[in-house]
Coordinates of all heavy atoms in Angstrom, one line a residue:
M1 N 121.6 117.5 101.0 CA 120.4 117.9 101.4 C 119.7 116.8 102.1 O 119.7 115.6 101.7 CB 119.5 118.3 100.1 CG 118.1 118.4 100.3 SD 117.2 118.9 98.9 CE 117.7 117.8 97.6
K2 N 119.1 117.1 103.3 CA 118.4 116.1 104.1 C 116.9 116.1 103.8 O 116.3 117.0 103.4 CB 118.6 116.5 105.6 CG 120.0 116.4 106.1 CD 120.5 115.1 106.1 CE 122.0 115.1 106.7 NZ 122.6 113.8 106.6
I3 N 116.4 114.8 103.8 CA 115.0 114.7 103.5 C 114.3 113.7 104.5 O 115.0 113.0 105.2 CB 114.7 114.2 102.1 CG1 115.3 112.7 101.8 CG2 115.1 115.2 101.0 CD1 114.8 112.1 100.6
S4 N 113.0 113.8 104.6 CA 112.1 112.9 105.4 C 111.2 112.3 104.4 O 110.5 113.1 103.6 CB 111.4 113.7 106.4 OG 112.3 114.3 107.3
V5 N 111.0 111.0 104.4 CA 110.1 110.4 103.5 C 109.1 109.5 104.4 O 109.5 108.8 105.2 CB 110.8 109.5 102.5 CG1 109.8 108.8 101.5 CG2 111.8 110.3 101.7
E6 N 107.8 109.6 104.1 CA 106.8 108.8 104.7 C 106.3 107.8 103.6 O 105.9 108.3 102.5 CB 105.7 109.6 105.3 CG 104.6 108.7 105.9 CD 103.5 109.5 106.5 OE1 102.8 110.3 105.7 OE2 103.3 109.4 107.7
L7 N 106.2 106.5 103.9 CA 105.8 105.6 102.9 C 104.7 104.7 103.5 O 104.7 104.3 104.6 CB 107.0 104.6 102.6 CG 108.2 105.2 102.1 CD1 109.4 104.4 102.4 CD2 108.2 105.5 100.6
T8 N 103.7 104.4 102.6 CA 102.6 103.4 102.9 C 102.6 102.5 101.8 O 102.2 102.8 100.7 CB 101.3 104.1 103.2 OG1 101.5 105.1 104.3 CG2 100.2 103.1 103.6
L9 N 103.0 101.2 102.0 CA 103.0 100.2 101.0 C 101.7 99.3 101.2 O 101.5 98.9 102.3 CB 104.2 99.3 101.2 CG 104.4 98.2 100.2 CD1 104.5 98.7 98.7 CD2 105.6 97.2 100.5
T10 N 100.9 99.2 100.1 CA 99.7 98.5 100.2 C 99.6 97.4 99.1 O 99.1 97.8 98.0 CB 98.5 99.5 100.1 OG1 98.7 100.6 101.1 CG2 97.2 98.8 100.4
P11 N 100.0 96.2 99.4 CA 99.8 95.2 98.4 C 98.2 94.9 98.3 O 97.6 94.9 99.4 CB 100.5 94.0 99.0 CG 101.5 94.6 99.9 CD 100.8 95.7 100.5
L12 N 97.7 94.7 97.1 CA 96.3 94.5 96.9 C 96.0 93.0 96.6 O 95.5 92.7 95.6 CB 95.8 95.4 95.8 CG 96.0 96.9 96.0 CD1 95.5 97.7 94.8 CD2 95.2 97.3 97.3
H13 N 96.4 92.1 97.5 CA 96.1 90.7 97.4 C 96.1 90.1 98.9 O 96.5 90.8 99.8 CB 97.1 90.0 96.5 CG 98.6 90.3 96.8 ND1 99.3 89.6 97.8 CD2 99.4 91.2 96.2 CE1 100.5 90.2 97.8 NE2 100.6 91.0 96.8
D14 N 95.6 88.9 99.0 CA 95.4 88.3 100.3 C 96.7 88.1 101.1 O 96.7 88.4 102.3 CB 94.7 87.0 100.2 CG 93.2 87.2 99.8 OD1 92.7 88.3 100.0 OD2 92.7 86.3 99.2
D15 N 97.7 87.7 100.5 CA 99.0 87.3 101.2 C 99.9 88.5 101.1 O 101.0 88.5 100.5 CB 99.6 86.1 100.5 CG 100.8 85.6 101.3 OD1 100.8 85.8 102.6 OD2 101.8 84.9 100.7
F16 N 99.5 89.6 101.9 CA 100.2 90.9 101.7 C 101.3 91.1 102.8 O 102.3 91.8 102.5 CB 99.2 92.0 101.9 CG 98.5 92.1 103.2 CD1 99.0 92.7 104.3 CD2 97.3 91.4 103.3 CE1 98.3 92.7 105.5 CE2 96.6 91.4 104.5 CZ 97.1 92.1 105.6
E17 N 101.2 90.4 104.0 CA 102.2 90.6 105.0 C 103.7 90.4 104.6 O 104.6 91.2 105.0 CB 101.8 89.8 106.3 CG 100.6 90.4 106.9 CD 100.3 89.6 108.2 OE1 100.8 88.5 108.5 OE2 99.5 90.2 109.0
P18 N 104.0 89.2 103.9 CA 105.4 89.0 103.6 C 106.1 90.1 102.8 O 107.2 90.5 103.0 CB 105.5 87.7 102.8 CG 104.2 87.0 103.2 CD 103.2 88.2 103.5
V19 N 105.3 90.7 101.9 CA 105.9 91.8 101.1 C 106.2 93.1 102.0 O 107.2 93.6 101.9 CB 104.9 92.2 100.0 CG1 105.4 93.4 99.2 CG2 104.6 91.0 99.0
I20 N 105.2 93.4 102.8 CA 105.5 94.6 103.8 C 106.6 94.3 104.7 O 107.5 95.2 104.9 CB 104.2 94.8 104.5 CG1 103.1 95.3 103.5 CG2 104.4 95.9 105.6 CD1 101.7 95.4 104.1
I21 N 106.6 93.1 105.3 CA 107.7 92.8 106.3 C 109.1 92.8 105.6 O 110.0 93.4 106.1 CB 107.5 91.4 106.9 CG1 106.2 91.5 107.8 CG2 108.7 90.9 107.6 CD1 105.7 90.1 108.3
N22 N 109.2 92.3 104.4 CA 110.5 92.3 103.7 C 110.9 93.7 103.4 O 112.0 94.1 103.6 CB 110.3 91.5 102.4 CG 111.6 91.4 101.6 OD1 112.6 91.0 102.1 ND2 111.6 92.0 100.4
F23 N 110.0 94.5 102.9 CA 110.2 95.9 102.6 C 110.7 96.7 103.9 O 111.8 97.4 103.8 CB 109.0 96.6 102.0 CG 109.1 98.0 101.6 CD1 109.9 98.3 100.5 CD2 108.5 99.0 102.3 CE1 110.0 99.6 100.0 CE2 108.6 100.3 101.8 CZ 109.4 100.6 100.7
I24 N 110.1 96.5 105.0 CA 110.5 97.3 106.1 C 111.8 96.7 106.7 O 112.7 97.6 107.1 CB 109.4 97.1 107.2 CG1 108.2 97.9 106.8 CG2 109.9 97.6 108.6 CD1 107.0 97.8 107.8
K25 N 112.0 95.5 106.7 CA 113.3 94.9 107.1 C 114.5 95.5 106.2 O 115.6 95.8 106.7 CB 113.4 93.4 107.0 CG 112.6 92.7 108.2 CD 112.7 91.3 108.2 CE 112.0 90.7 109.4 NZ 112.1 89.2 109.3
K26 N 114.3 95.6 104.9 CA 115.3 96.2 104.1 C 115.6 97.7 104.4 O 116.7 98.1 104.4 CB 114.9 96.1 102.6 CG 114.8 94.7 102.0 CD 116.2 94.1 101.8 CE 116.1 92.7 101.2 NZ 116.0 92.7 99.7
L27 N 114.6 98.4 104.7 CA 114.7 99.8 105.1 C 115.4 99.9 106.5 O 116.4 100.6 106.6 CB 113.4 100.5 105.2 CG 112.6 100.7 104.0 CD1 111.3 101.4 104.2 CD2 113.4 101.3 102.9
R28 N 115.1 99.0 107.4 CA 115.8 99.0 108.7 C 117.3 98.7 108.5 O 118.2 99.2 109.2 CB 115.2 97.9 109.6 CG 113.9 98.1 110.2 CD 113.5 96.9 111.0 NE 112.3 97.0 111.5 CZ 111.6 96.0 112.1 NH1 112.1 94.8 112.0 NH2 110.4 96.1 112.5
A29 N 117.7 97.7 107.6 CA 119.0 97.3 107.5 C 119.9 98.3 106.7 O 121.1 98.2 106.6 CB 119.0 96.0 106.7
S30 N 119.3 99.4 106.3 CA 120.0 100.4 105.4 C 121.0 101.2 106.3 O 121.9 101.8 105.8 CB 119.1 101.3 104.7 OG 118.4 102.2 105.7
G31 N 120.8 101.3 107.6 CA 121.5 102.2 108.4 C 121.0 103.6 108.5 O 121.4 104.4 109.3
L32 N 119.9 103.9 107.8 CA 119.3 105.2 107.8 C 118.3 105.2 108.9 O 117.8 104.1 109.3 CB 118.6 105.5 106.5 CG 119.6 105.7 105.3 CD1 118.8 105.8 104.0 CD2 120.4 107.0 105.4
K33 N 118.0 106.3 109.5 CA 117.0 106.4 110.6 C 115.6 106.0 110.0 O 115.1 106.6 109.1 CB 116.9 107.7 111.3 CG 116.0 107.7 112.4 CD 116.1 108.9 113.3 CE 115.2 108.8 114.5 NZ 115.4 109.8 115.4
T34 N 115.0 105.0 110.6 CA 113.7 104.5 110.2 C 112.8 104.4 111.3 O 113.2 103.9 112.4 CB 113.9 103.1 109.5 OG1 114.8 103.2 108.5 CG2 112.6 102.6 109.0
I35 N 111.6 105.0 111.2 CA 110.6 104.9 112.2 C 109.3 104.3 111.7 O 108.9 104.7 110.6 CB 110.2 106.4 112.7 CG1 111.5 107.0 113.4 CG2 109.1 106.3 113.8 CD1 111.3 108.4 113.8
E36 N 108.8 103.3 112.3 CA 107.6 102.6 111.9 C 106.4 103.0 112.8 O 106.5 103.1 114.0 CB 107.8 101.1 112.0 CG 108.9 100.7 111.0 CD 109.5 99.4 111.5 OE1 108.8 98.5 112.1 OE2 110.8 99.2 111.5
T37 N 105.2 103.1 112.1 CA 104.0 103.3 112.9 C 103.0 102.3 112.3 O 103.3 101.6 111.3 CB 103.4 104.8 112.7 OG1 102.9 104.9 111.3 CG2 104.5 105.8 112.9
P38 N 101.8 102.2 112.9 CA 100.9 101.2 112.3 C 100.4 101.6 110.9 O 100.0 100.7 110.2 CB 99.7 101.3 113.3 CG 100.3 101.7 114.6 CD 101.4 102.7 114.2
L39 N 100.5 102.8 110.5 CA 100.0 103.3 109.2 C 101.1 103.5 108.2 O 100.7 103.7 107.0 CB 99.1 104.4 109.4 CG 97.9 104.2 110.3 CD1 97.1 105.5 110.4 CD2 96.9 103.1 109.7
S40 N 102.3 103.7 108.6 CA 103.3 104.1 107.7 C 104.7 103.9 108.2 O 104.9 103.5 109.4 CB 103.2 105.6 107.2 OG 103.5 106.4 108.4
T41 N 105.7 104.0 107.4 CA 107.1 104.0 107.7 C 107.8 105.3 107.3 O 107.5 105.7 106.1 CB 107.7 102.7 107.1 OG1 107.1 101.6 107.5 CG2 109.2 102.7 107.5
Q42 N 108.5 105.9 108.1 CA 109.3 107.0 107.8 C 110.8 106.7 107.7 O 111.3 105.9 108.5 CB 109.1 108.2 108.8 CG 107.7 108.7 108.8 CD 106.9 108.1 109.9 OE1 107.3 107.8 111.0 NE2 105.6 107.8 109.5
I43 N 111.4 107.3 106.7 CA 112.9 107.2 106.7 C 113.5 108.5 106.5 O 113.0 109.4 105.8 CB 113.3 106.1 105.5 CG1 114.7 105.8 105.6 CG2 112.8 106.6 104.2 CD1 115.1 104.5 104.9
Y44 N 114.7 108.7 107.1 CA 115.4 110.1 107.2 C 116.8 110.0 106.7 O 117.4 109.0 107.1 CB 115.2 110.6 108.5 CG 113.9 110.6 109.1 CD1 113.3 109.6 109.8 CD2 113.0 111.8 108.9 CE1 112.1 109.6 110.3 CE2 111.8 111.8 109.5 CZ 111.3 110.7 110.1 OH 110.0 110.7 110.7
G45 N 117.3 111.0 106.0 CA 118.7 111.0 105.7 C 119.0 111.9 104.5 O 118.2 112.7 104.0
D46 N 120.2 111.7 104.0 CA 120.7 112.4 102.8 C 119.8 112.0 101.5 O 119.6 110.8 101.4 CB 122.1 112.1 102.6 CG 122.7 112.8 101.3 OD1 122.8 114.0 101.4 OD2 122.9 112.1 100.3
Y47 N 119.5 113.0 100.8 CA 118.6 112.8 99.6 C 119.1 111.6 98.7 O 118.4 110.7 98.4 CB 118.5 114.0 98.8 CG 117.6 113.8 97.6 CD1 116.2 114.1 97.6 CD2 118.2 113.5 96.4 CE1 115.5 113.9 96.5 CE2 117.4 113.3 95.2 CZ 116.0 113.5 95.3 OH 115.3 113.4 94.2
D48 N 120.4 111.7 98.3 CA 120.9 110.6 97.4 C 120.9 109.3 98.0 O 120.6 108.3 97.3 CB 122.3 111.0 97.0 CG 122.4 112.3 96.1 OD1 121.4 112.5 95.4 OD2 123.4 113.0 96.2
K49 N 121.2 109.1 99.3 CA 121.2 107.8 99.9 C 119.8 107.3 100.1 O 119.5 106.1 99.7 CB 121.9 107.9 101.3 CG 123.3 108.1 101.2 CD 124.0 108.2 102.5 CE 125.5 108.4 102.5 NZ 126.1 108.5 103.8
V50 N 118.9 108.2 100.5 CA 117.5 107.7 100.7 C 116.8 107.3 99.4 O 116.2 106.3 99.2 CB 116.7 108.8 101.4 CG1 115.2 108.4 101.4 CG2 117.1 109.1 102.8
M51 N 117.1 108.1 98.4 CA 116.4 107.9 97.1 C 117.0 106.6 96.4 O 116.3 105.9 95.7 CB 116.4 109.1 96.2 CG 115.7 110.2 96.8 SD 113.9 109.9 97.2 CE 113.2 109.7 95.6
A52 N 118.3 106.4 96.5 CA 118.9 105.2 95.9 C 118.3 104.0 96.6 O 118.0 103.0 95.9 CB 120.4 105.3 96.1
L53 N 118.2 104.0 97.9 CA 117.7 102.8 98.7 C 116.2 102.7 98.2 O 115.8 101.5 97.9 CB 117.7 103.2 100.1 CG 116.9 102.2 101.0 CD1 117.6 100.8 101.1 CD2 116.8 102.7 102.4
L54 N 115.5 103.7 98.2 CA 114.0 103.5 97.8 C 113.8 103.1 96.4 O 113.0 102.3 96.1 CB 113.3 104.8 98.1 CG 113.1 105.3 99.5 CD1 112.4 106.6 99.6 CD2 112.5 104.2 100.3
T55 N 114.7 103.6 95.5 CA 114.5 103.1 94.1 C 114.7 101.6 94.0 O 113.9 100.9 93.4 CB 115.6 103.7 93.2 OG1 115.4 105.2 93.2 CG2 115.6 103.3 91.8
A56 N 115.7 101.0 94.7 CA 115.9 99.6 94.6 C 114.9 98.8 95.4 O 114.3 97.8 94.9 CB 117.3 99.3 95.3
E57 N 114.5 99.3 96.6 CA 113.6 98.5 97.5 C 112.1 98.6 97.0 O 111.4 97.7 97.1 CB 113.7 98.9 98.9 CG 115.1 98.7 99.5 CD 115.6 97.3 99.2 OE1 114.8 96.3 99.1 OE2 116.9 97.1 99.1
I58 N 111.7 99.8 96.4 CA 110.4 99.9 95.9 C 110.2 99.0 94.6 O 109.2 98.3 94.5 CB 110.1 101.3 95.5 CG1 109.9 102.1 96.8 CG2 108.8 101.4 94.7 CD1 109.8 103.7 96.6
K59 N 111.3 98.9 93.8 CA 111.2 98.1 92.6 C 111.1 96.6 93.1 O 110.2 95.9 92.6 CB 112.5 98.3 91.8 CG 112.5 97.4 90.6 CD 113.7 97.6 89.7 CE 113.6 96.7 88.5 NZ 114.8 96.8 87.6
E60 N 111.8 96.1 94.0 CA 111.7 94.8 94.6 C 110.4 94.5 95.1 O 109.8 93.5 94.9 CB 112.8 94.5 95.6 CG 112.7 93.1 96.1 CD 113.8 92.7 97.1 OE1 115.0 93.2 97.0 OE2 113.5 92.0 98.1
A61 N 109.8 95.4 96.0 CA 108.5 95.2 96.5 C 107.5 95.1 95.4 O 106.5 94.3 95.5 CB 108.2 96.4 97.5
M62 N 107.5 95.9 94.4 CA 106.6 95.9 93.4 C 106.6 94.6 92.6 O 105.6 94.1 92.2 CB 106.7 97.1 92.4 CG 106.4 98.5 93.0 SD 104.7 98.6 93.3 CE 104.6 100.2 94.0
E63 N 107.9 94.1 92.4 CA 108.0 92.9 91.7 C 107.4 91.6 92.5 O 107.0 90.6 91.9 CB 109.5 92.6 91.4 CG 110.0 93.5 90.3 CD 111.5 93.4 90.1 OE1 112.2 92.9 91.0 OE2 112.0 93.9 89.0
L64 N 107.3 91.8 93.8 CA 106.8 90.7 94.7 C 105.3 90.8 94.8 O 104.6 89.9 95.3 CB 107.4 90.8 96.1 CG 108.9 90.5 96.1 CD1 109.4 90.8 97.5 CD2 109.2 89.1 95.7
M65 N 104.7 91.9 94.4 CA 103.2 92.0 94.4 C 102.6 91.8 93.1 O 103.1 92.2 92.1 CB 102.9 93.5 94.8 CG 103.3 93.9 96.2 SD 102.7 95.5 96.7 CE 103.8 96.6 95.7
E66 N 101.4 91.2 93.1 CA 100.6 91.1 92.0 C 100.1 92.4 91.6 O 100.1 92.8 90.4 CB 99.5 90.1 92.2 CG 98.7 89.8 90.9 CD 97.6 88.7 91.1 OE1 97.8 87.9 92.1 OE2 96.7 88.6 90.3
H67 N 99.4 93.1 92.6 CA 98.9 94.5 92.4 C 99.2 95.2 93.7 O 99.2 94.6 94.8 CB 97.4 94.4 92.1 CG 97.0 93.7 90.9 ND1 97.2 94.2 89.6 CD2 96.5 92.5 90.8 CE1 96.8 93.3 88.8 NE2 96.3 92.2 89.4
G68 N 99.5 96.5 93.7 CA 99.7 97.2 94.9 C 99.8 98.7 94.7 O 99.9 99.2 93.5
L69 N 99.8 99.4 95.8 CA 100.0 100.9 95.9 C 101.1 101.2 96.8 O 101.4 100.5 97.7 CB 98.7 101.5 96.4 CG 97.4 101.3 95.7 CD1 96.3 101.8 96.6 CD2 97.4 102.0 94.4
L70 N 101.8 102.3 96.4 CA 102.7 102.9 97.4 C 102.5 104.4 97.5 O 102.5 105.1 96.4 CB 104.2 102.7 96.9 CG 105.2 103.3 97.8 CD1 105.5 102.5 99.0 CD2 106.5 103.6 97.0
W71 N 102.2 104.8 98.6 CA 102.0 106.3 98.9 C 103.3 106.8 99.5 O 103.8 106.2 100.4 CB 100.8 106.5 99.9 CG 99.5 106.0 99.4 CD1 99.0 104.8 99.5 CD2 98.5 106.8 98.7 NE1 97.8 104.7 99.0 CE2 97.5 105.9 98.5 CE3 98.4 108.1 98.3 CZ2 96.3 106.3 97.8 CZ3 97.3 108.4 97.6 CH2 96.3 107.6 97.4
M72 N 103.7 108.0 98.9 CA 105.0 108.5 99.4 C 104.9 110.0 99.5 O 104.4 110.7 98.6 CB 106.1 108.1 98.5 CG 107.5 108.6 98.8 SD 108.9 107.9 98.0 CE 108.6 108.3 96.3
K73 N 105.4 110.5 100.6 CA 105.5 111.9 100.9 C 106.9 112.2 101.1 O 107.6 111.5 101.9 CB 104.7 112.4 102.0 CG 103.2 112.2 101.9 CD 102.5 112.8 103.1 CE 101.5 111.8 103.5 NZ 100.8 112.3 104.8
I74 N 107.4 113.3 100.5 CA 108.9 113.7 100.7 C 108.9 115.2 101.2 O 108.2 116.0 100.6 CB 109.6 113.6 99.4 CG1 109.6 112.2 98.9 CG2 111.1 114.0 99.7 CD1 110.3 112.1 97.5
V75 N 109.6 115.4 102.3 CA 109.8 116.7 102.8 C 111.3 117.1 102.7 O 112.1 116.3 103.2 CB 109.3 116.8 104.3 CG1 109.6 118.2 104.9 CG2 107.8 116.4 104.4
K76 N 111.6 118.2 102.3 CA 112.9 118.7 102.2 C 113.4 119.3 103.6 O 113.4 120.5 103.9 CB 113.2 119.8 101.2 CG 114.6 120.2 101.1 CD 114.8 121.4 100.1 CE 116.2 121.9 100.2 NZ 116.4 123.1 99.5
S77 N 113.7 118.3 104.5 CA 114.2 118.6 105.8 C 114.3 117.3 106.6 O 113.5 116.4 106.3 CB 113.2 119.6 106.5 OG 113.6 119.9 107.8
D78 N 115.1 117.2 107.6 CA 115.1 116.1 108.4 C 114.2 116.4 109.6 O 114.5 117.1 110.5 CB 116.6 115.8 108.9 CG 116.7 114.6 109.8 OD1 115.7 114.1 110.3 OD2 117.8 114.2 109.9
L79 N 113.1 115.7 109.7 CA 112.1 115.9 110.7 C 112.1 114.8 111.7 O 111.1 114.5 112.5 CB 110.7 116.0 110.1 CG 110.5 117.2 109.1 CD1 109.1 117.1 108.5 CD2 110.7 118.5 109.8
S80 N 113.2 114.0 111.8 CA 113.2 112.8 112.6 C 113.1 113.1 114.1 O 112.7 112.3 114.9 CB 114.5 112.0 112.4 OG 115.6 112.8 112.7
D81 N 113.4 114.3 114.5 CA 113.3 114.7 115.9 C 112.1 115.6 116.1 O 112.0 116.2 117.2 CB 114.6 115.3 116.4 CG 115.0 116.6 115.7 OD1 114.3 117.0 114.7 OD2 115.9 117.3 116.0
Y82 N 111.1 115.7 115.3 CA 109.9 116.5 115.4 C 109.1 116.2 116.6 O 108.8 115.0 116.9 CB 109.1 116.4 114.1 CG 107.8 117.1 114.3 CD1 107.6 118.5 114.2 CD2 106.6 116.4 114.6 CE1 106.5 119.1 114.4 CE2 105.4 117.1 114.8 CZ 105.3 118.4 114.7 OH 104.1 119.1 114.8
E83 N 108.7 117.2 117.3 CA 107.8 117.0 118.5 C 106.8 118.2 118.4 O 107.2 119.3 118.3 CB 108.6 117.0 119.8 CG 109.4 115.8 120.1 CD 110.1 115.9 121.4 OE1 109.5 116.4 122.4 OE2 111.2 115.3 121.5
P84 N 105.5 117.9 118.5 CA 104.5 118.9 118.4 C 104.7 119.9 119.6 O 105.1 119.4 120.7 CB 103.2 118.2 118.5 CG 103.5 116.8 118.5 CD 104.9 116.6 118.6
N85 N 104.5 121.1 119.4 CA 104.7 122.1 120.5 C 103.4 122.8 120.9 O 103.3 123.9 121.2 CB 105.7 123.2 120.1 CG 105.4 123.9 118.8 OD1 104.3 123.7 118.3 ND2 106.2 124.8 118.4
F86 N 102.3 122.0 120.8 CA 101.0 122.5 121.2 C 100.3 121.6 122.1 O 100.7 120.5 122.4 CB 100.1 122.8 119.9 CG 100.0 121.6 119.0 CD1 99.0 120.6 119.2 CD2 100.9 121.3 118.0 CE1 98.9 119.5 118.4 CE2 100.8 120.3 117.1 CZ 99.8 119.3 117.3

């Protein structure tokens, strides 16, 4: 089953950039399709591969933060080639 996941990682402390940069670099290195925007990062692929990656990388990111939030949306479909038709 293919999924699309949108993530917004928000460390709640002053030195937040290293945590976000490390998280995004790990997602990029996974070999899964990853798209970054100024507000979120999307990752696309097989459910088991995406969720296994996210389980490990979210845990590491949370361990590196004193306090933080992670917003995540999951869609059951590969929307990596989505283009609005309006």
Side-chain angles (χ1 to χ4, degrees):
M1 165 177 48
K2 298 292 183 184
I3 63 171
S4 302
V5 180
E6 180 180 55
L7 304 153
T8 303
L9 180 63
T10 309
L12 300 175
H13 49 82
D14 290 337
D15 190 25
F16 60 88
E17 288 181 345
V19 176
I20 295 170
I21 290 168
N22 183 60
F23 184 69
I24 292 172
K25 284 182 175 182
K26 295 283 185 92
L27 298 181
R28 285 180 186 164
S30 71
L32 295 169
K33 182 165 186 176
T34 305
I35 298 174
E36 299 154 35
T37 73
L39 299 176
S40 67
T41 301
Q42 294 93 40
I43 190 160
Y44 306 90
D46 178 71
Y47 179 90
D48 292 329
K49 289 180 182 178
V50 171
M51 296 308 288
L53 172 69
L54 292 179
T55 297
E57 298 311 329
I58 290 170
K59 181 178 181 180
E60 180 179 320
M62 292 290 181
E63 289 172 343
L64 294 172
M65 294 186 284
E66 184 176 342
H67 301 285
L69 301 169
L70 176 80
W71 298 86
M72 181 167 59
K73 296 183 225 174
I74 303 173
V75 177
K76 183 186 171 190
S77 182
D78 183 341
L79 300 175
S80 61
D81 60 355
Y82 171 78
E83 291 185 31
N85 59 3
F86 52 89

